[in-house]
Structures are given as structure tokens and as C-alpha cells.
Amino acid sequence: MMHKYKSSEAKSCLAEQYVTFVGDSRIRQLFYAFVKILTPQYKEEGNKHENIVFEDKAAALKIDFLWHPEVNNSMKQAFLSLSESAIAKPTMVIAGAATWSIKINNGSRGSLAQYKVNMTAIAPVLENLAEVSEVYWFLQDPVYEPSLSESRKMITNNRIDAYNDIAAGILNGTIRKSKVKIFSVSRLISEEIISESLDGLHLPEPSKDISAMILMNAFCNKIVNPIDGSCCQPTPSLTIIQKLAACFFIFAMIAFVSVTIVQRNKHRRNKQCDDIESGEEKKPATATPAASSLEILLFSLSKLGLIMAYFYFCDRANLFMKENKFYTHSSFFIPIIYILVLGVFYNENTKEAKLLNREQTDEWKGWMQLVILIYHISGASSFLPVYMHVRVLVAAYLFQTGYGHFSYFWLKGDFGIYRISQVLFRLNFLVVVLCVVMDRPYQFYYFVPLVTFWFMFIYATMAVWPQILQKTANANSLWNCGLIIKLTFALLCIIFLSYSQGAFENVFSLWPLSKLFELNGNVYEWWFRWKLDRFAVIYGMAFAFIYLWLQKHQVLFEGKGEALFSTKVSSVLLFFSVVSFFTYSIWASSCKNKSECNEMHPSISVVQILSFVLIRNIPGYARSVYSSFFAWFGKISLELFICQYHIWLAADTKGILVLIPGNPMLNIIISTFIFVCVAHEISLITNDLAQIVVPKESSALTKRLLCVAGFLCLLLMLSALQNT
């Protein structure tokens, strides 16, 4: 993966550095491309066959181009001067030449032999220079022979290959472990686009720009450590927390094996005793005793440990390759069509025909999650209409959060510690483990903090005095007005925070909240994510209240096959829903500026969400069936969203994981299969551990919560310790 360095990043990396380019006109092209990363407005001026100097005094940075078009004694003296300089030795040297030797000697065999002699003489000098500098020898890029002028016709690709073989052979063969690095990647780039060269010899713009950016990655990645730069970075050392986590999982595996062996031996001895006492040679087979809580705990932790090892090896150990994303319309829309066909093909009848029944909400989460996954792996965020529609999907998930949790609290009135602990554990368990194993802050997995915050917001809104539930509203309808007032007050709080960034940052910068919501030393990312969908949860709560009120007053028809309203009302609502749905899509497709569209999104995303809900639920036949394919994915949607960061995508979602290099289709099939299986298994592990860590019995739950609080405090202390 190649990180695209901005001017500020490049200047910061190269501050107080001295870089030298030595060679012919092609190296001069590379010099200009390299300088333009630092100063994009830099103009190519000066005599082409002379030395060129670039200086940035503010950054104390100097970059030279030394004109030496042939590998000869003159070039050798230049390298000697650089290595023996008493003033400043270059940090990095980039050199290469051959085409001039071919041209002025008309491609004779004698010139090739002389090139070999000269390269042999220069090699030790380059090795000495490599002791104090990073030295790159550029192999010659191919030419496009049909476009070469008559004076350059002797520069053929066969001759270039012969010169490259000599250079690579001498630099790699004279010394057992050469410190001079052969730069051959530019040849691969030029082979694809050299036909675009204006004169057949000099490099097209994309070729030299990419080569310059690769050079910048080669030097700066180990200094800047960009997430999306997989080249030339050392494997990060394990933190104290990661080492302790590894020890914990290893201990769990050993303990599980030990307990399993002990339990099996005990069961075998008991069985033998029973046989002897009964006096029978053979007894009917008895059922295997159910696993104890300890066995389930250790087995779940052992599986989790193996899965976390896979996470680490995929995205931290530099064991597997990673590649950049490149968006094309086909890479996004063809998979979308494919999963849509599968989703329609696998359909079943719902158990009940209520609006937004459980099967339907699982289906909704499932297809949304699949679209988001395709959106991420295809890099479709660069295409604004797709970006705006995916923003609606994220808002729809939060809409469901508001709808589901409000309905639960309104109908059941269960504000107990067991309920809140179960929800928080299921939402946060995987992310907390990944924060430990992958050494990432909590806010990095932004969606979980977002959903957790809004769950607590709904809980606080419904739980604070006065607690207004459906049963109290049934006794006195005025309580409905009281609930509307509570929701209005909650909305006003959201509006206040959304228009007061300072107040928002002051609140969430307080310790310990800052440990949860800071990313890169500030809470701006949290502010951006929170603000982007700030009204979605309130919309969901309000919709749930209206729906349950209509249901109570028997305004809705929710029998199987029945339209949700009367025929006339259903037809009108369905028409306006379809129009509204496509109106939003037309608006989103006409977006020209992402920041302006993001400003409007929180207020108008509800249009498409409500339109979809009505289109999906007004017709009775549509409400009575669901896609079992999408619903299956919906049940593990949270795990899919989180796991994609490291074992499907890579470099923390910036790139794509490559398990099988050279075969993109097979790679995506295998990595996707493993990714989905892992997400499903983690969902099962989370459910099993939730039953153990969050028991229903109050005294046991209190003890477990104290243990969890102690663990989190220890985590904070260790985090502070390793950051000092």
C-alpha cells in the first residue's frame, strides 16, 4: 500500500534533510516529481543539462539534481564527493543512467562492455556511500520504440534490459549483502503506460509521479508511520497490554485443555463404577453431561484467543500483503446486484405481520450491512452519490436503535441494571478486546461508541423522573403529552450541543470520558460522527411512539396479507413514499460538495428512511415475507462491521487484505469466507460470555460488574503507563 503524502507531511518528514538525485533526464523528471510533492506549485526551470538545486529554508531542506547522464568517472567522482563531504552528507541518494551511453555509442557492444567496467568501479563507492545514506539505483524504464526520434532509434528495450541486467548483477553480486537498493518498481509502472510518452523516451506524468511517491514512502514511512503505508515500516513492538493479553489467552487455552482432561477422566471413572455396581457387562449409553460454566468460559476464551491471533497476524504483524482500494462503478454496483438477487431468492414467511417485526429488522440490518461492506472494500466513498446513500444507511441503523430501545422501555418499563448491562456488554465486548489486542483507542471503532452513547441517551430519557410508560399513559392520556415534552427537551439538548462545538468538546474532553472519545489527542472525530446523525435516534423514538399509539387505538391493520391502512390511505401514503424516496435519491445524486451535503443530511435523511419503512410495510404481502439470506447477516451485523477493520479490509480499513497475491477473485472469495465465519463465531462467543459475565441473579451480577470495573480501571492505568 502506498500512502499519498501531503506537502505538510513530506516537509515534516524531510525537515533538515539533504536529498540528492544523480543521473540523466529521466532522473531529472523524478527529481521534479519528488520536489512537487513538497511544493506542488514548483516550476521546472533552468538549463536541462546542468545541476539544479531546490531549497526550503523554512524546513531546512535541500534537494539537489546532479547532471551525470553516463556511468563514468565523472559520476564516480560525484559519489566520492558526496560520501567525503565534510559539510553535509545526503540522507538519501537516487541515481541511474544508461540511455545516453546507448545513444552516443549507437548501441555498440563495446559501450555495453564499458558500462560494465564503469559500474564495477562505481559499485564500491556506492557501497561506501550507503553506509551513511540510503542509496537507490534506478533501473532503466522501457521506451516506446514507435515514438522514438531517428536520433534515438538505437535505444531499444532489448538493449535497456541488457544494461539493467549488468547494473543489477554488479550491485547485487559484488558484495554478499549489498546496502544499495535496486529500484525496479518504476519499470512495472512504465510498462503499462510508456505508450503515453510524448517522445517515447521520457516518462509520462503518472509514471514519474507514482515513482516519486513510492520513494517518499520508502524513506518517510518509518518516520511518519502512516496507517495506509504498508511498505518500509518495522513491525510495531508489542505493548505491555498486548503482552498481558497474549498471556491471558494462552493461560485460558491451557486451563481449558486441563479442565477438559480432568472432566473426561472423572466421567470415565464414574461410569466404570456404575457398571461394576450394577453387575452388568453393558449399560445403555447415557447422555454426556452438560458443560459447566467454567468449561464454557474457558472454551469461549480459547476460541477468542485463536481468533484474535488471526486478527493480529492479518493487520499488525506484516505477515500478509495489503493493497490500495481503487474505485470503479462496476466494483460497487455488480456485487450489489448479485447480493440483491440472492436476497430476493431466499425468502420465507414471517412469524407475524407487524410493522418492523423482528425478521424484517434483521433483514434490514443485513442488507444494509452488506451494502456498507461492499462500499468499504470498493472505495466507493470517493463517489459522492454513493457516499450520501450510505450515510442514510448509517442513520437508518441509529433510527432502528431509537425505535427498538424506546419500544422496549415504553412497553416493559425494565430499567434494571441487568438489562443495561446485557446491552452494553453485547455492544462493547468485541471492541474492548480489539482495543487491547490491536492497540487502538475505543473511538477508533466509531460506530460502537456512537450506538452505545445513543443507547444511554434513550435509557436516560426514559428512566429519569417522571418515568412515563404505556401502562401509565393508558391510565391517563395526559402522560402522552408528558412523554412528548420529554422527547422535545431531549431534542433541544441535541440541538444545543450540535450548535455549540465548544461545549460539546468541553464535556467529552473531561476524564474519563476523554479516554473513550478522544482520537489522535482530540474529540473532533467524535464530534463529527455524532453530529452527522444527531437526529436519527430521536426520529426513531418518535416513530415508535406514534406507531405504538396507532396500534393501541387499532388504527392499523396488521393481519397477514392486509394493507397497513385502508385501501385509499395506503395508496396515497405509498405514492408519496415512493416519490419521496426517489426525490431524496435525485438530490443525493446531484450533490456537488460533501461538506454542504453533510450539513443537510441530519435533517433530511429521515425522508428516505420513513419512505423505505412505509414502502416495505404498507402492502400486506410485503410485510408478510422476509429475506432469510439478509436476516442471517443482520443477526451478526455488528460483528461484521467491526471485524472488517482488520481481517477483510486491512491497515485499519484503509486498504484490502491480500491472503492470496496475484489472484484478486480467489483472494476475495477466501478472505470473505473466513471473515464471515469469524464474525459469526464471535457473535456466538459474545452470547455465551454474556450469560456468564452478566447473570440475572442480582448479587452475582453486582460482583461481576465490580470485576469488570476493576478490569477497566487496570486497563486505564496500564494505558497511561505505556504512554509515559
Side-chain angles (χ1 to χ4, degrees):
M1 289 181 64
M2 182 176 69
H3 177 66
K4 292 185 178 179
Y5 276 88
K6 298 176 182 177
S7 174
S8 57
E9 289 178 309
K11 287 182 179 179
S12 174
C13 165
L14 294 173
E16 300 181 1
Q17 304 293 335
Y18 174 31
V19 180
T20 300
F21 289 78
V22 183
D24 56 14
S25 55
R26 285 172 153 189
I27 297 296
R28 183 179 63 236
Q29 282 187 292
L30 191 63
F31 160 80
Y32 280 127
F34 192 83
V35 168
K36 285 180 180 179
I37 297 174
L38 297 151
T39 310
Q41 67 275 15
Y42 185 77
K43 294 181 180 180
E44 301 181 15
E45 297 176 340
N47 193 321
K48 291 184 178 180
H49 295 171
E50 289 183 356
N51 298 343
I52 306 170
V53 178
F54 168 82
E55 285 188 90
D56 187 321
K57 293 182 179 179
L61 163 65
K62 182 181 178 183
I63 304 176
D64 283 348
F65 167 70
L66 305 181
W67 172 252
H68 290 281
E70 290 187 83
V71 177
N72 54 20
N73 191 59
S74 175
M75 180 180 278
K76 179 181 176 181
Q77 290 302 317
F79 290 139
L80 284 170
S81 298
L82 291 172
S83 61
E84 295 170 359
S85 174
I87 302 172
K89 291 182 173 63
T91 313
M92 181 165 59
V93 176
I94 302 95
T99 55
W100 268 65
S101 297
I102 298 172
K103 178 183 175 182
I104 63 175
N105 293 292
N106 203 29
S108 67
R109 290 186 178 181
S111 68
L112 185 63
Q114 187 60 48
Y115 184 82
K116 184 174 183 179
V117 170
N118 292 342
M119 278 301 305
T120 303
I122 281 177
V125 180
L126 287 175
E127 285 297 331
N128 289 335
L129 185 57
E131 295 288 339
V132 292
S133 308
E134 286 192 29
V135 179
Y136 294 90
W137 183 268
F138 261 69
L139 297 183
Q140 293 297 298
D141 291 343
V143 295
Y144 187 59
E145 295 179 20
S147 297
L148 291 172
S149 64
E150 286 299 322
S151 62
R152 293 173 175 164
K153 287 292 185 184
M154 71 291 296
I155 307 175
T156 65
N157 286 321
N158 287 337
R159 286 175 177 144
I160 285 175
D161 289 342
Y163 277 71
N164 282 337
D165 289 343
I166 287 173
I170 290 172
L171 293 176
N172 284 334
T174 53
I175 299 174
R176 186 169 296 175
K177 191 175 180 182
S178 176
K179 292 185 179 179
V180 178
K181 299 167 185 175
I182 304 294
F183 198 98
S184 58
V185 68
S186 61
R187 287 178 52 78
L188 299 175
I189 302 164
S190 296
E191 283 171 3
E192 299 293 326
I193 58 174
I194 192 62
S195 59
E196 299 174 17
S197 172
L198 297 176
D199 58 8
L201 174 67
H202 292 101
L203 307 178
E205 288 287 332
S207 178
K208 63 181 182 180
D209 290 346
I210 294 172
S211 294
M213 192 61 75
I214 291 172
L215 262 181
M216 190 68 74
N217 275 254
F219 182 80
C220 288
N221 281 4
K222 57 184 173 291
I223 299 170
V224 179
N225 295 319
I227 292 172
D228 59 343
S230 60
C231 152
C232 318
Q233 289 194 59
T235 302
S237 57
L238 290 172
T239 64
I240 298 172
I241 295 175
Q242 287 175 312
K243 291 175 182 176
L244 290 174
C247 293
F248 173 79
F249 284 123
I250 292 170
F251 172 78
M253 293 176 196
I254 295 171
F256 170 70
V257 172
S258 303
V259 169
T260 302
I261 293 172
V262 169
Q263 291 290 349
R264 286 185 179 179
N265 289 336
K266 184 178 178 181
H267 176 62
R268 191 179 296 115
R269 286 196 301 270
N270 290 340
K271 186 176 180 181
Q272 289 172 353
C273 291
D274 291 342
D275 289 346
I276 292 169
E277 289 172 3
S278 65
E280 297 177 6
E281 293 183 3
K282 192 173 183 180
K283 288 187 69 177
T286 56
T288 304
S292 66
S293 295
L294 178 61
E295 286 180 286
I296 294 172
L297 175 65
L298 293 175
F299 182 53
S300 297
L301 291 175
S302 298
K303 288 193 294 182
L304 185 64
L306 293 174
I307 290 170
M308 287 301 110
Y310 179 67
F311 271 76
Y312 183 85
F313 289 134
C314 282
D315 208 20
R316 287 294 176 273
N318 291 340
L319 186 62
F320 299 109
M321 293 173 64
K322 301 158 191 174
E323 64 184 13
N324 290 99
K325 304 174 188 177
F326 295 99
Y327 174 74
T328 61
H329 291 323
S330 60
S331 67
F332 176 75
F333 289 105
I334 289 176
I336 292 291
I337 295 170
Y338 180 69
I339 64 162
L340 180 62
V341 171
L342 285 176
V344 172
F345 183 77
Y346 291 99
N347 65 81
E348 297 178 15
N349 293 325
T350 58
K351 293 178 181 177
E352 56 182 3
K354 290 184 179 180
L355 182 142
L356 289 180
N357 55 67
R358 182 58 182 267
E359 291 98 339
Q360 190 186 129
T361 54
D362 282 340
E363 172 202 271
W364 193 5
K365 290 177 184 176
W367 71 256
M368 287 195 304
Q369 186 55 60
L370 291 175
V371 171
I372 290 171
L373 290 174
I374 295 169
Y375 164 82
H376 282 154
I377 201 167
S378 64
S381 59
S382 58
F383 185 47
L384 194 52
V386 172
Y387 167 82
M388 291 307 302
H389 281 87
V390 170
R391 289 302 338 149
V392 174
L393 301 188
V394 176
Y397 199 105
L398 294 175
F399 177 91
Q400 280 195 54
T401 299
Y403 173 86
H405 290 305
F406 174 89
S407 299
Y408 180 87
F409 291 131
W410 174 250
L411 295 173
K412 297 191 175 183
D414 179 7
F415 299 103
I417 194 69
Y418 172 74
R419 165 68 181 177
I420 191 173
S421 299
Q422 276 276 331
V423 173
L424 291 179
F425 182 86
R426 291 175 187 273
L427 285 177
N428 290 275
F429 171 71
L430 175 57
V431 163
V432 171
V433 174
L434 286 177
C435 288
V436 170
V437 173
M438 306 303 287
D439 190 29
R440 285 291 176 265
Y442 179 65
Q443 180 57 35
F444 175 76
Y445 306 94
Y446 75 91
F447 190 70
V448 169
L450 197 62
V451 177
T452 301
F453 170 84
W454 286 117
F455 167 72
M456 294 304 299
F457 177 86
I458 298 164
Y459 178 85
T461 302
M462 299 299 292
V464 296
W465 183 89
Q467 287 185 4
I468 305 173
L469 311 176
Q470 188 182 58
K471 60 183 179 182
T472 56
N474 289 343
N476 188 341
S477 59
L478 287 177
W479 283 114
N480 289 318
C481 298
L483 181 66
I484 293 171
I485 292 170
K486 287 182 79 172
L487 292 178
T488 303
F489 179 75
L491 178 62
L492 291 174
C493 291
I494 293 170
I495 293 171
F496 170 75
L497 286 175
S498 66
Y499 286 99
S500 179
Q501 185 176 352
F504 184 95
E505 291 181 350
N506 288 337
V507 170
F508 290 99
S509 294
L510 295 173
W511 193 91
L513 287 178
S514 59
K515 289 294 181 183
L516 297 177
F517 297 108
E518 278 187 355
L519 189 65
N520 300 323
N522 58 67
V523 296
Y524 177 78
E525 178 71 13
W526 167 236
W527 154 257
F528 172 77
R529 297 291 182 183
W530 178 89
K531 187 180 179 184
L532 204 53
D533 296 299
R534 58 189 180 273
F535 299 133
V537 168
I538 284 289
Y539 291 146
M541 295 172 72
F543 180 81
F545 174 68
I546 294 169
Y547 163 64
L548 293 171
W549 186 87
L550 292 174
Q551 187 185 61
K552 175 180 171 293
H553 289 83
Q554 299 181 343
V555 177
L556 307 176
F557 306 103
E558 294 185 302
K560 285 207 170 187
E562 285 186 294
L564 196 61
F565 301 95
S566 64
T567 304
K568 188 174 182 180
V569 173
S570 294
S571 299
V572 172
L573 282 176
L574 199 57
F575 172 77
F576 279 108
S577 297
V578 171
V579 170
S580 299
F581 186 92
F582 286 105
T583 299
Y584 180 90
S585 291
I586 292 169
W587 172 80
S589 300
S590 63
C591 269
K592 302 298 181 185
N593 185 291
K594 185 179 285 189
S595 59
E596 290 179 5
C597 293
N598 280 343
E599 283 297 319
M600 296 185 66
H601 165 78
S603 303
I604 64 174
S605 60
V606 69
V607 172
Q608 195 162 49
I609 295 171
L610 289 179
S611 297
F612 171 79
V613 171
L614 294 177
I615 292 169
R616 182 69 179 82
N617 285 275
I618 287 176
Y621 63 89
R623 204 173 60 253
S624 301
V625 296
Y626 76 103
S627 169
S628 55
F629 175 79
F630 290 142
W632 188 87
F633 285 98
K635 291 173 183 176
I636 58 170
S637 59
L638 186 64
E639 288 78 12
L640 287 170
F641 189 89
I642 299 165
C643 290
Q644 67 168 324
Y645 276 68
H646 304 295
I647 62 169
W648 196 52
L649 304 174
D652 298 340
T653 75
K654 302 294 183 182
I656 300 170
L657 179 66
V658 180
L659 298 177
I660 303 176
N663 196 327
M665 185 58 68
L666 184 60
N667 176 69
I668 200 69
I669 290 171
I670 291 177
S671 65
T672 301
F673 176 76
I674 296 172
F675 159 59
V676 173
C677 289
V678 166
H680 182 261
E681 193 61 35
I682 289 177
S683 177
L684 297 178
I685 291 170
T686 304
N687 289 334
D688 288 341
L689 291 178
Q691 304 306 316
I692 297 170
V693 178
V694 188
K696 288 185 178 180
E697 203 271 312
S698 58
S699 61
L701 177 58
T702 303
K703 293 175 183 176
R704 304 283 167 82
L705 290 179
L706 288 173
C707 291
V708 170
F711 167 75
L712 294 176
C713 289
L714 178 63
L715 207 58
L716 286 174
M717 290 171 59
L718 290 173
S719 177
L721 180 65
Q722 72 183 21
N723 289 333
T724 54

